[in-house]
Amino acid sequence: MSAVNDTKFQSAVFFLTGILGQEDVHVWISIPFCLIYFTSILGNSLILFIIKSDPNLHEPMYIFISMLAITDLGLTISTLPTTLGIFWFNSREISHNACFAQLFFISSLSFTESSVLSSMAFDRFVAICDPLRYASILTPARVAKMGLVSLLRGVVLVFPVPILLKQYRYCHANILSHSYCLPQEVMRMACSDITVNIIGGLFVTVSSVGLDFLLILLSYVKILKTVLSIASHAERLKALNTCISHICVVLLFYMPSISLSVIYRLRKSFSPLVEIVMGHVYLLVPPLMNPIVYSLKTKAIRARIIRLFVK
């Protein structure tokens, strides 16, 4: 009997959810999602192409922007198959292994993006607070190491999660609230004791995303202190203007992430639709808006985009 139960467990699937209560119009809802995915992929690919093709943009700030674009492309591609599969073909089933693989990529790329944003804050800190040593501190080799460390940290922190989840038994309804797999949701489906995952997940989140946010905050406190000490009003505005795009990107990443965490912990106070919408905002809006922000607010990138389309 135990062997039969194990076989049933191994062959079990999770069921993904589109927009709850709107199943009849999923095909129409897929139109804005397709536009978001298309714009995200096109925008981030365009940013990468412009930075790669222009030697003048092979500087630390633009290299970090290209790292952010690569991470956003990864997040977009990670959720695209299951989301459009639900809206177009009502394909809601996803195997355990596929679900664990998807949540691994989503979580590791999210941690990587948080680390890249922290590195970008350090870049702005050095550029404004210690400009004379900028080139010697942020050398190409050091920037490359920072990017590699960001990626490795994301992979190492999340790697145990799918391994632990695979050991659990899942005997609940196995219906997930989103059109993709998130660790928090999958854990709730387990019948086993998930205390290790809850404590470990909280520790990892605080020690990574929480630490990144704290470092970004400290960097901008130092930046603001330095900027306010500049005598010229025009120079103060010029210095702050170089940080505006990064501040917008930080807010686009952390605000939905914090909001979704609050909703998960107080989910009884929110309707399921709010949780679904915030889940999509968390993963779709940053990759969509980041290239738009940098295209509008970064003069060098904006000029090259105009030059690319307007001869």
Side-chain angles (χ1 to χ4, degrees), residues 116-266:
V116 170
L117 290 174
S118 177
S119 300
M120 295 172 80
F122 178 70
D123 169 79
R124 291 299 84 207
F125 165 74
V126 176
I128 293 174
C129 300
D130 199 358
L132 296 179
R133 297 179 58 207
Y134 180 80
S136 61
I137 293 175
L138 287 169
T139 61
R142 190 164 291 164
V143 171
K145 288 178 182 177
M146 291 170 71
L148 182 60
V149 168
S150 298
L151 177 61
L152 288 177
R153 190 185 76 158
V155 171
V156 170
L157 288 175
V158 182
F159 186 75
V161 175
I163 297 176
L164 288 172
L165 290 176
K166 193 165 183 173
Q167 309 307 314
Y168 295 151
R169 293 181 177 275
Y170 298 91
C171 55
H172 294 299
N174 289 2
I175 299 176
L176 305 178
S177 302
H178 302 289
S179 55
Y180 46 82
C181 295
L182 290 176
Q184 303 95 317
E185 274 207 294
V186 175
M187 281 192 291
R188 290 205 304 260
M189 301 294 109
C191 304
S192 311
D193 183 11
I194 60 172
T195 305
V196 173
N197 269 43
I198 293 175
I199 297 174
L202 181 62
F203 173 76
V204 167
T205 302
V206 172
S207 63
S208 56
V209 178
L211 180 61
D212 291 337
F213 185 75
L214 180 62
L215 291 174
I216 293 171
L217 192 61
L218 291 175
S219 297
Y220 275 103
V221 168
K222 287 284 189 180
I223 288 171
L224 190 60
K225 185 178 178 181
T226 302
V227 169
L228 292 176
S229 66
I230 300 174
S232 171
H233 179 69
E235 289 297 320
R236 286 202 298 266
L237 290 178
K238 183 179 179 181
L240 287 174
N241 191 51
T242 63
C243 301
I244 289 177
S245 54
H246 180 251
I247 292 173
C248 292
V249 168
V250 167
L251 292 175
L252 285 169
F253 177 80
Y254 284 103
M255 286 182 66
S257 177
I258 294 171
S259 300
L260 190 61
S261 297
V262 171
I263 289 173
Y264 271 125
R265 282 157 180 76
L266 303 174

